């Protein structure tokens, strides 16, 4: 690193940020940087939107979880850029505007894609790589000292976007075969045309944004570009695409996006209407041992997949809220996905095949199809606030501690901390709409009571027999622990027929 000529000490100059050469870059003004940042912000917001909108109806559990994480990451980075734009002599205005029609079409196409095959290709092979290239280009062009706050945000954003790209590459390897690629080639070309139309992945330095810099001409037309070394059909560098003169024609987005509120699960989730075992009644029964109760807590954790499925519906169907609402609710959504995965980890640690347990989905199904988004939020708050007293999350942590299973204690410890945060998020975005907490809780209770649970009807319709899965799982755990099952615990057969999960009489959540 070059040092200042009259420096008497041999320390890195410029706080170690960059060299003197780099600090002399004078290409990008505040105005141009802001325009460029707004494009990155737009793509992050749209990524958040398309990931969230697909969580509920995505059947593959791992994708459901990954979409929850990636939606959260995009919401966090979008928040950071919003704040940064506000620091650049710009009131935080224009952040909701569409910065370029090409980017809009790109995002609309992926949002409207018919299955997770197109979705994975569109998000992880086109949009995320385009965003990465654009951020890298920004880093190479901006003055790293003058624009240091943006450079710092970009570094963090790049780190997580590269993680997302890597995840997507592994997902695509598993989900997208050669036949699908061939079928999708024209559509992938369309997405690349959208990127090209918006100025290549130098996103801000293209046409239509008042920024005059010309892109270097590139001789290769789009479809002839070689793939990313693995025949994905996506050019290896999106920044080298020839700019297009006009908007490409929409394909999937010719029909507006329709959110599917019905939760879907993959083949590992059998008998999803089964409510034949009530874990809460077991958990709060003093006759049972803490170690046995851990199994019920792990089941409750894994069952929390229904919370992202439900919260995704609130986020997708609630319009006109401030961005902070989206950020907070998405953080909570991701926490609930983590809780589900912590339950999965608990079962893996015990050597128990969790796919043998029916993971009920009627909570997200019934809320998403019977209640309005605001009513769903009310139920969520009612249940989560109910977890705050001594019999709630603290109790679960105490059970974990008493169980002699350190992992169970850690899972419940962090679960409890997360739930305290969720109660705060609820007070911010739900309770404030009421006169007081009491009124807010009353409304939540009424909404929850409104939800029909159809316990008998599910049997009559042949959807489930509410098979008691508990003895088999309990025996497997006892075998693993090398103990004889407690006969009373083994005989446990309380269902959800008459007892609601919050013990007021029926939560599937928490
Ligand atoms: Fe929660
Ligand atoms: Fe939770």
């Amino acid at each position: 690193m070059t040092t200042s000529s009259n420096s008497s000490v041999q320390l890195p100059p410029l706080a170690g940020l960059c060299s003197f050469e780099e600090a002399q870059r004078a290409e990008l003004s505040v105005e141009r940087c802001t325009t460029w940042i707004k494009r990155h912000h737009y793509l992050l917001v749209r990524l958040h939107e398309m990931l969230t909108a697909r969580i509920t109806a995505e059947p593959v559990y791992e994708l459901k979880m990954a979409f929850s994480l990636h939606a959260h990451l995009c919401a966090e980075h979008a928040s950071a850029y919003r704040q940064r734009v506000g620091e650049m002599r710009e009131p935080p205005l224009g952040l909701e505007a569409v910065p370029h029609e090409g980017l809009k079409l790109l995002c609309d196409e992926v949002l409207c894609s018919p299955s997770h095959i197109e979705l994975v290709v569109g998000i992880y092979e086109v949009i995320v790589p385009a965003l990465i290239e654009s951020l890298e280009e920004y880093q190479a062009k901006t003055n790293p000292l003058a624009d240091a706050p943006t450079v710092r945000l970009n570094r963090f954003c790049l780190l997580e976007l590269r993680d997302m790209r890597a995840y997507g590459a592994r997902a695509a390897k598993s989900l997208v075969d050669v036949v699908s690629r061939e079928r999708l080639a024209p559509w992938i070309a369309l997405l690349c045309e959208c990127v090209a139309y918006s100025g290549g992945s130098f996103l801000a330095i293209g046409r239509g944004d008042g920024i005059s810099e010309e892109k270097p001409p590139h001789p290769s037309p789009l479809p002839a570009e070689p793939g990313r070394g693995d025949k994905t059909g996506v050019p290896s560098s999106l920044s080298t695409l020839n700019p297009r003169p006009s908007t490409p024609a929409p394909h999937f987005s010719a029909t507006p996006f329709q959110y599917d509120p019905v939760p879907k699960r993959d083949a590992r989730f059998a008998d999803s209407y089964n409510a034949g075992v009530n874990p809460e009644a077991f958990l709060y029964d003093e006759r049972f041992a803490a170690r046995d109760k851990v199994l019920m807590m792990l089941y409750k954790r894994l069952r929390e997949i229904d919370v992202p499925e439900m919260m995704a519906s609130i986020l997708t169907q609630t319009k006109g809220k401030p961005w902070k609402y989206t950020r907070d609710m998405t953080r909570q959504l991701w926490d609930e996905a983590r809780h589900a995965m912590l339950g999965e980890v608990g079962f893996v640690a015990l050597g128990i095949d969790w796919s043998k347990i029916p993971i009920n989905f009627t909570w997200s199904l019934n809320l998403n199809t019977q209640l309005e988004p605001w009513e769903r939020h009310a139920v969520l708050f009612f249940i989560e606030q109910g977890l705050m007293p001594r019999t709630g999350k603290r109790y679960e942590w105490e059970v974990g501690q008493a169980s002699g299973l350190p992992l169970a204690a850690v899972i419940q410890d962090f679960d409890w901390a997360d739930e305290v945060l969720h109660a705060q998020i609820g007070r911010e975005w739900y309770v404030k709409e009421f006169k007081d907490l009491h009124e807010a809780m009353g409304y939540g209770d009424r909404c929850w009571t409104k939800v029909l649970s159809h316990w008998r009807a599910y049997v009559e319709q042949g959807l489930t027999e509410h098979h008691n899965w508990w003895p088999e799982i309990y025996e497997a755990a006892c075998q693993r622990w090398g103990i004889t099952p407690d006969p009373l615990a083994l005989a446990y057969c309380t269902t959800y027929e008459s007892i609601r999960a919050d013990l007021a009489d029926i939560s599937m959540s928490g």
Side-chain angles (χ1 to χ4, degrees):
M1 188 175 285
T2 313
T3 54
S4 182
S5 57
N6 53 8
S7 172
S8 57
V9 288
Q10 293 301 310
L11 286 176
L14 308 178
L17 267 188
C18 57
S19 69
F20 278 99
E21 285 76 13
E22 288 164 328
Q24 290 171 55
R25 287 182 201 154
E27 195 175 336
L28 295 182
S29 64
V30 165
E31 189 187 355
R32 293 184 69 191
C33 284
T34 308
T35 305
W36 202 342
I37 294 167
K38 281 182 178 175
R39 289 187 166 210
H40 297 154
H41 167 264
Y42 176 78
L43 286 179
L44 287 163
V45 168
R46 295 299 311 269
L47 278 169
H48 168 272
E49 177 198 10
M50 62 186 83
L51 287 159
T52 305
R54 302 298 284 259
I55 289 168
T56 309
E58 172 52 54
V60 178
Y61 166 60
E62 283 77 10
L63 282 182
K64 216 186 260 291
M65 299 295 102
F67 291 170
S68 301
L69 168 60
H70 297 166
H72 162 64
L73 300 182
C74 291
E76 292 297 310
H77 292 296
S79 302
Y81 287 123
R82 290 177 87 86
Q83 188 178 332
R84 179 62 182 146
V85 167
E87 295 166 2
M88 297 177 85
R89 290 200 306 270
E90 294 255 334
L93 299 173
L95 282 164
E96 319 311 326
V98 174
H100 195 285
E101 283 305 312
L103 296 182
K104 180 177 185 301
L105 181 58
L106 171 70
C107 296
D108 288 348
E109 279 296 310
V110 180
L111 173 69
C112 295
S113 57
S115 81
H116 61 215
I117 293 175
E118 294 84 0
L119 196 66
V120 162
V121 167
I123 289 177
Y124 300 106
E125 292 185 0
V126 180
I127 301 181
V128 169
L131 188 49
I132 288 173
E133 275 192 54
S134 185
L135 282 161
E136 286 170 344
E137 190 62 24
Y138 186 108
Q139 297 293 72
K141 281 194 155 66
T142 198
N143 184 306
L145 183 60
D147 193 19
T150 312
V151 170
R152 176 175 167 269
L153 298 185
N154 290 348
R155 278 160 58 97
F156 184 26
C157 189
L158 275 167
L159 181 77
E160 298 199 319
L161 285 172
R162 287 172 186 144
D163 288 347
M164 285 173 62
R165 181 176 60 184
Y167 179 90
R170 292 176 65 186
K173 214 170 172 184
S174 156
L175 297 169
V176 190
D177 59 17
V178 181
V179 178
S180 301
R181 288 226 178 264
E182 264 177 41
R183 176 175 57 83
L184 288 176
W187 185 65
I188 294 171
L190 166 63
L191 298 185
C192 294
E193 284 180 38
C194 292
V195 175
Y197 177 49
S198 64
S201 70
F202 297 92
L203 299 169
I205 309 182
R207 58 192 69 239
D209 55 14
I211 295 172
S212 60
E213 179 172 328
E214 288 296 317
K215 275 184 56 60
H218 192 271
S220 306
L222 245 176
E225 279 280 347
R228 287 179 180 275
D230 57 0
K231 300 189 171 56
T232 58
V234 183
S236 56
S237 172
L238 290 155
S239 64
T240 56
L241 299 175
N242 273 329
R244 273 183 61 100
S246 60
T247 321
H251 180 63
F252 294 134
S253 64
T255 309
F257 175 67
Q258 274 285 330
Y259 170 69
D260 183 354
V262 177
K264 311 263 187 320
R265 304 272 175 91
D266 64 42
R268 290 165 292 179
F269 295 82
D271 198 8
S272 299
Y273 289 85
N274 186 323
V277 177
N278 185 320
E280 288 80 12
F282 188 94
L283 192 55
Y284 295 109
D285 191 326
E286 288 175 2
R287 294 172 300 166
F288 300 125
R291 185 168 44 186
D292 301 348
K293 290 179 178 180
V294 164
L295 297 169
M296 289 299 197
M297 293 201 298
L298 293 177
Y299 166 66
K300 276 163 60 68
R301 295 290 76 77
L302 183 50
R303 194 182 54 188
E304 288 189 63
I305 328 164
D306 59 6
V307 192
E309 286 170 345
M310 192 283 276
M311 290 197 73
S313 78
I314 299 179
L315 275 158
T316 303
Q317 296 181 317
T318 303
K319 306 292 175 201
K321 291 283 186 184
W323 176 256
K324 179 77 167 44
Y325 166 90
T326 305
R327 181 193 190 179
D328 288 352
M329 292 288 280
T330 307
R331 164 61 200 268
Q332 180 173 345
L333 183 156
W334 160 234
D335 290 349
E336 307 297 6
R338 275 193 300 116
H339 297 167
M341 290 187 283
L342 285 167
E344 177 191 13
V345 170
F347 282 122
V348 168
L350 290 173
I352 291 174
D353 178 2
W354 58 263
S355 70
K356 288 208 162 69
I357 307 173
I359 311 294
N360 188 289
F361 81 148
T362 54
W363 187 79
S364 50
L365 175 71
N366 289 341
L367 261 67
N368 285 11
T369 55
Q370 294 177 28
L371 296 184
E372 295 301 317
W374 178 245
E375 296 174 316
R376 288 172 225 151
H377 200 154
V379 172
L380 181 70
F381 179 79
F382 173 72
I383 290 171
E384 297 211 297
Q385 187 63 25
L387 300 173
M388 288 305 106
R390 252 207 93 69
T391 52
K393 286 295 163 185
R394 173 190 282 276
Y395 174 75
E396 290 191 348
W397 170 66
E398 285 168 352
V399 170
Q401 285 218 310
S403 71
L405 301 168
L407 178 61
V410 167
I411 289 173
Q412 293 309 139
D413 203 5
F414 282 88
D415 179 74
W416 178 19
D418 290 338
E419 294 308 335
V420 172
L421 173 67
H422 301 169
Q424 286 165 9
I425 291 172
R427 280 196 286 279
E428 177 70 26
W429 297 112
Y430 170 72
V431 178
K432 279 187 179 169
E433 303 293 324
F434 295 86
K435 193 180 84 201
D436 54 30
L437 180 65
H438 183 72
E439 202 177 89
M441 285 293 277
Y443 180 71
D445 194 8
R446 285 198 298 284
C447 291
W448 189 204
T449 306
K450 230 167 80 172
V451 178
L452 300 172
S453 127
H454 304 299
W455 203 93
R456 277 271 148 231
Y458 294 148
V459 179
E460 283 153 20
Q461 291 163 26
L463 294 168
T464 184
E465 292 174 353
H466 296 299
H467 165 69
N468 181 3
W469 49 264
W470 166 253
E472 188 189 340
I473 297 300
Y474 179 49
E475 275 186 321
C478 288
Q479 211 166 30
R480 175 92 182 176
W481 292 326
I483 59 161
T484 309
D486 164 15
L488 192 66
L490 193 61
Y492 183 73
C493 59
T494 305
T495 73
Y496 273 118
E497 184 171 15
S498 57
I499 302 178
R500 203 167 73 172
D502 59 2
L503 298 180
D505 292 288
I506 253 189
S507 146
M508 292 292 185
S509 158

